């Protein structure tokens, strides 16, 4: 059987696998990415690129490609709650088209409406531009064995049936919710396996906005006497829409008649449309018990499955890729310590648990009209009393749903407070935020954004290797030179670049004269003076220090 070798074998070429492959290629690490299908996206599962993911795209140099995706920039992004397109409207949250939404003050980027069938080709093109990245479609993983020094994987060509072996230093499963890699490892998922049984329907209707008086919008939430029962979103800002029959925890298989009846009820009158695809799926709240074993790791949906309410699924997976990418680089290039890869699960699993819980909370809010706040009969009746009931209900629901529309505390505010490769500075951890986000430079947090020149952000300093910021507050307030840190990192072979900024506003934001930022853009250490033991600091942040006994046991399990 033919055998080839690659430093990293990635299984599954969805957005997370493509991102990890691209990040490794960007870092100069050879890798091979295999995908059992031909890679076409017929039914986009996600369509919101979160602000942190856009920061990664900025780091990789593809933010403009994503911004310029085909989704029209002037298409209004309103969220509307209504009886039907031709029935009563209860309320709405207005948002401009994505081309007119301003960046939040805490980021040089903003969220973008780019569905998966537009986003995947962009990130695929970028990843495969690196000569060190090899992508094989129609190639299925059929088995693997962790040999201790490497992983031996058997793959099959789905068109010819031929098998071959790929050996790898590390294997990463980004192969989705039904992950073959996870199942082969025997890793279980914990949580709620069935929040709702939902049916998604992609349909084409070029003149849909002309058939009703609700105007253009991104997401329409339909509320009947029984409560929330359906959503319709504008997939491409043109002729394609996705209808979701929300369902319940009870298993149901919606028939074609059910689908057509739902479309008729949603419009409120007969209309012409074309059904393009139907996908029946289960909305879940699950996190894997482990993020990998030995030389095999997992990322994305293979380790966390969530309700899409809040756009935390793919975007949480992109954070996994950003965390794992630099750690694989460090280990493969020899400067990462023996405990560095063990920190991947310790950092990412708590974030996934928090994000998935927030997504379920958003689902419960969306479904509140069917549970805790049933609509009143007056809401569906004409006249003044009905107008008052609709206005009151709409105002309540609008405020309730803002928890989902504004989530930068989750997208940007995740932290690695208890990570073994972060050196704490003794400051108390502030509460984690949800709807709002306050930038902090405490070790473990995302290094804050600040403008440091025309179109240049502090975030543009981070990505490859560690960065030591020397923050000068102004005349007479110099920062230590950081020479001991430079020597220690050089002795350990850790890439480090020193950046000196004479920017009082940045010094105020980062709160210390010296700030060490990791390759993923998270703060690793900060102080006003050089450390007493710079070698110990270097060992800590590169994973060469000791894990606590509890952490070591968690990884071994």
């Amino acid at each position: 059987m033919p055998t080839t070798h690659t430093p990293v074998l990635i299984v599954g070429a969805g957005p997370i696998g493509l991102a990890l492959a691209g990040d490794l290629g960007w870092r100069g690490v050879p890798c091979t990415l295999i995908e059992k299908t031909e890679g076409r996206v017929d039914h986009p599962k996600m369509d919101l690129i979160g602000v942190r993911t856009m920061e990664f795209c900025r780091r990789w140099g593809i933010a403009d490609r994503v911004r310029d995706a085909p989704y029209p920039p002037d298409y209004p992004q309103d969220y509307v709650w209504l009886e039907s397109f031709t029935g009563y409207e209860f309320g709405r949250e207005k948002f401009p088209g994505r081309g007119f939404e301003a960046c939040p003050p805490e980021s040089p980027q903003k969220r973008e409406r780019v569905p998966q069938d537009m986003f995947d080709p962009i990130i695929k093109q970028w990843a495969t531009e690196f000569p060190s990245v090899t992508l094989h479609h129609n190639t299925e993983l059929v088995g693997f064995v962790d040999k201790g020094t490497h992983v031996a994987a058997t793959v099959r060509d789905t068109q010819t049936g031929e098998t071959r072996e790929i050996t790898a230093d590390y294997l990463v499963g980004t192969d989705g919710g039904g992950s073959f890699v996870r199942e082969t490892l025997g890793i279980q998922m914990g949580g709620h396996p069935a929040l709702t049984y939902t049916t998604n329907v992609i349909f084409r209707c070029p003149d849909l906005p002309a058939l009703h008086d609700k105007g253009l919008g991104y997401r329409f939430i339909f509320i009947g006497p029984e409560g929330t029962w359906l959503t319709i979103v504008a997939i491409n800002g043109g002729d394609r829409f996705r209808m979701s029959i929300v369902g319940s925890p009870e298993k149901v298989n919606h028939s074609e008649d059910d689908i057509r009846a739902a479309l008729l009820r949603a419009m409120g009158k007969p209309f012409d449309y074309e059904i393009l695809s139907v996908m029946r799926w289960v909305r879940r709240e699950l996190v894997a018990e482990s993020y990998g074993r030995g030389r095999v790791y997992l990322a994305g949906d293979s380790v966390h499955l969530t309700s899409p309410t809040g756009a935390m699924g793919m975007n949480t997976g992109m954070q996994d890729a950003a965390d794992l990418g630099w750690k694989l680089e460090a280990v493969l290039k020899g400067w990462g310590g023996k405990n560095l890869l063990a920190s991947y699960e310790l950092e990412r699993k708590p974030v996934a648990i928090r994000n998935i819980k927030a997504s379920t909370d958003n689902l419960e809010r969306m479904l509140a009209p069917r549970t805790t706040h049933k609509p009143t009969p007056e809401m569906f009746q004409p006249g003044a009393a009905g107008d008052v009931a609709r206005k009151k209900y709409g105002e309540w629901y609008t405020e309730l749903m803002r928890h989902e529309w504004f989530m930068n505390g989750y997208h940007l505010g995740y932290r690695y407070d208890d990570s073994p490769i972060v050196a704490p500075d003794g400051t108390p951890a502030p509460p984690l935020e949800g709807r709002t986000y306050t930038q902090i430079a405490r070790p473990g947090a995302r290094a804050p954004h600040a403008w440091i020149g025309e179109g240049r952000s502090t975030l543009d300093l981070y990505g490859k290797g560690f960065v030591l910021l020397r923050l000068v507050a102004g005349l007479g307030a110099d920062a230590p030179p950081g020479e001991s840190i430079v020597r220690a990192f050089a002795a350990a072979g850790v890439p480090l670049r020193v950046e000196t900024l004479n920017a009082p506003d940045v010094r105020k934001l980062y709160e210390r004269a010296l700030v060490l930022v990791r390759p993923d853009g998270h703060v690793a250490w900060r102080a006003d003076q050089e450390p007493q033991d710079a070698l110990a600091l270097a060992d800590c942040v590169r994973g060469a220090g000791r894990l606590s006994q509890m952490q070591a046991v968690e990884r071994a399990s």
Side-chain angles (χ1 to χ4, degrees):
M1 185 166 57
T3 300
T4 57
H5 182 78
T6 182
V8 182
L9 175 61
I10 305 168
V11 182
I16 310 309
L18 289 166
L20 179 59
D23 187 70
L24 291 172
W26 182 71
R27 298 180 183 282
V29 177
C31 64
T32 297
L33 174 62
I34 63 172
E35 166 58 42
K36 64 183 179 180
T37 72
E38 61 184 27
R40 188 178 67 246
V41 179
D42 293 323
H43 199 112
K45 298 178 183 178
M46 68 84 189
D47 49 33
L48 182 69
I49 312 302
V51 60
R52 185 58 171 159
T53 299
M54 284 304 299
E55 290 180 352
F56 299 149
C57 291
R58 180 187 182 95
R59 174 190 303 171
W60 297 326
I62 59 172
D64 288 352
R65 301 191 206 181
V66 180
R67 179 201 64 198
D68 296 336
Y71 198 104
D74 57 349
Y75 191 91
Q77 295 295 292
D78 292 9
Y79 294 79
V80 187
W81 7 108
L82 67 168
E83 176 192 19
S84 69
F85 279 126
T86 55
Y88 294 113
E89 177 178 318
F90 305 124
R92 70 172 60 208
E93 186 78 56
K94 288 182 174 290
F95 284 103
R98 69 189 187 96
F100 299 91
E101 185 175 9
C103 295
E106 59 268 20
S107 178
Q109 300 295 148
K110 59 181 177 64
R111 58 192 175 186
E112 296 287 352
R113 183 71 63 194
V114 181
Q116 187 179 358
D117 57 348
M118 297 179 186
F119 182 69
D120 278 19
I122 293 171
I123 202 165
K124 174 184 172 182
Q125 180 185 23
W126 161 71
T128 54
E129 287 171 359
F130 298 104
S132 58
V133 174
T134 301
L135 171 60
H136 295 297
H137 285 114
N138 301 307
T139 303
E140 181 179 15
L141 178 71
V142 294
F144 64 88
V145 177
D146 187 339
K147 301 284 191 177
T149 57
H150 66 280
V151 179
T154 302
V155 302
R156 181 177 66 88
D157 187 310
T158 60
Q159 295 179 318
T160 67
E162 295 180 356
T163 61
R164 60 189 176 93
E165 184 178 75
I166 302 176
T167 62
D169 296 296
Y170 296 96
L171 185 150
V172 182
T174 57
D175 49 341
S179 171
F180 174 78
V181 176
R182 187 191 68 238
E183 291 181 356
T184 301
L185 291 174
I187 294 174
Q188 301 298 312
M189 301 279 275
H192 299 286
L195 299 173
T196 68
Y197 283 85
T198 296
T199 299
N200 281 4
V201 180
I202 305 292
F203 68 95
R204 179 182 286 123
C205 182
D207 61 344
L208 190 144
L211 300 177
H212 59 80
D213 62 355
K214 301 303 183 290
L216 299 177
Y218 162 68
R219 182 176 175 186
F220 297 88
I221 299 178
F222 294 82
I223 300 174
E226 75 274 40
T228 312
W229 68 281
L230 188 86
T231 66
I232 291 179
V233 301
I235 283 292
N236 65 345
D239 63 343
R240 285 190 299 136
F241 300 84
R242 182 178 67 232
M243 177 182 75
S244 297
I245 305 175
V246 179
S248 71
E250 284 70 48
K251 188 172 184 178
V252 63
N253 187 8
H254 296 108
S255 66
E256 183 175 337
D257 288 344
D258 294 332
I259 291 169
R260 295 192 180 279
L263 283 165
L264 176 62
R265 181 182 174 187
M267 178 58 70
K269 64 181 181 182
F271 72 108
D272 293 329
Y273 55 84
E274 177 189 3
I275 294 177
L276 302 178
S277 65
V278 177
M279 183 178 73
R280 297 171 176 86
W281 60 287
V282 184
R283 195 184 309 256
R284 306 183 190 276
E285 181 189 339
L286 296 172
V287 178
E289 294 176 353
S290 172
Y291 273 39
R293 292 207 175 104
R295 289 180 170 266
V296 182
Y297 291 86
L298 301 162
D301 283 358
S302 67
V303 279
H304 44 74
L305 291 169
T306 180
S307 169
T309 40
M312 297 306 303
M314 187 277 293
N315 290 296
T316 301
M318 295 295 278
Q319 297 165 16
D320 296 342
D323 189 88
L324 187 56
W326 77 271
K327 293 173 180 176
L328 285 169
E329 175 201 13
V331 172
L332 288 166
K333 291 184 177 180
W335 56 267
K338 62 180 181 179
N339 295 320
L340 184 60
L341 284 171
S343 71
Y344 167 61
E345 177 180 328
L346 297 172
E347 291 186 341
R348 293 303 307 156
K349 186 174 179 179
V351 176
I353 292 171
R354 179 173 183 259
N355 288 356
I356 289 172
K357 176 62 168 61
S359 300
T360 300
D361 290 345
N362 285 336
L363 174 65
E364 291 175 352
R365 293 184 186 101
M366 187 184 81
L367 299 182
R370 70 160 72 161
T371 55
T372 60
H373 290 73
K374 292 262 189 184
T376 61
E378 291 81 9
M379 289 173 53
F380 304 98
Q381 299 297 324
D387 291 341
V388 170
R390 285 185 284 275
K391 182 175 184 296
K392 182 178 180 181
Y393 198 88
E395 289 174 347
W396 162 78
Y397 197 65
T398 300
E399 177 58 32
L400 182 73
M401 293 299 290
R402 285 188 177 134
H403 289 270
E404 181 175 342
W405 318 145
F406 303 98
M407 294 189 69
N408 275 358
Y410 292 93
H411 284 279
L412 293 173
Y414 62 94
R415 305 198 305 260
Y416 305 138
D417 291 338
D418 300 320
S419 171
I421 61 169
V422 166
D425 65 356
T427 59
L432 291 168
E433 296 178 277
R435 287 175 62 173
T436 60
Y437 168 57
T438 304
Q439 296 196 100
I440 61 170
R442 185 175 182 272
R446 159 191 171 272
H449 152 71
W451 294 112
I452 54 175
E454 186 64 30
R456 192 166 185 243
S457 166
T458 50
L459 271 58
D460 298 330
L461 302 174
Y462 318 134
K464 291 185 176 178
F466 282 80
V467 172
L468 178 64
L469 291 179
R470 295 183 63 249
L471 300 176
V472 180
L475 294 176
D478 200 358
E483 293 176 353
S484 66
I485 299 174
V486 172
R487 289 193 301 269
F489 275 60
V494 181
L496 174 71
R497 190 178 73 256
V498 178
E499 295 280 353
T500 300
L501 299 179
N502 191 338
D505 290 345
V506 179
R507 170 70 176 263
K508 182 178 180 181
L509 181 61
Y510 279 72
E511 298 184 315
R512 300 292 188 275
L514 295 175
V515 182
L516 182 66
V517 182
R518 306 183 336 179
D520 62 346
H522 282 253
V523 176
W525 169 89
R526 66 175 180 173
D528 285 324
Q529 302 296 330
E530 298 193 28
Q532 293 183 350
D533 190 342
L535 285 172
L537 174 62
D539 281 347
C540 171
V541 300
R542 71 185 183 93
R546 292 184 177 180
L547 290 175
S548 72
Q549 184 177 4
M550 181 182 70
Q551 291 165 337
V553 168
E554 287 177 348
R555 174 58 186 159
S557 66

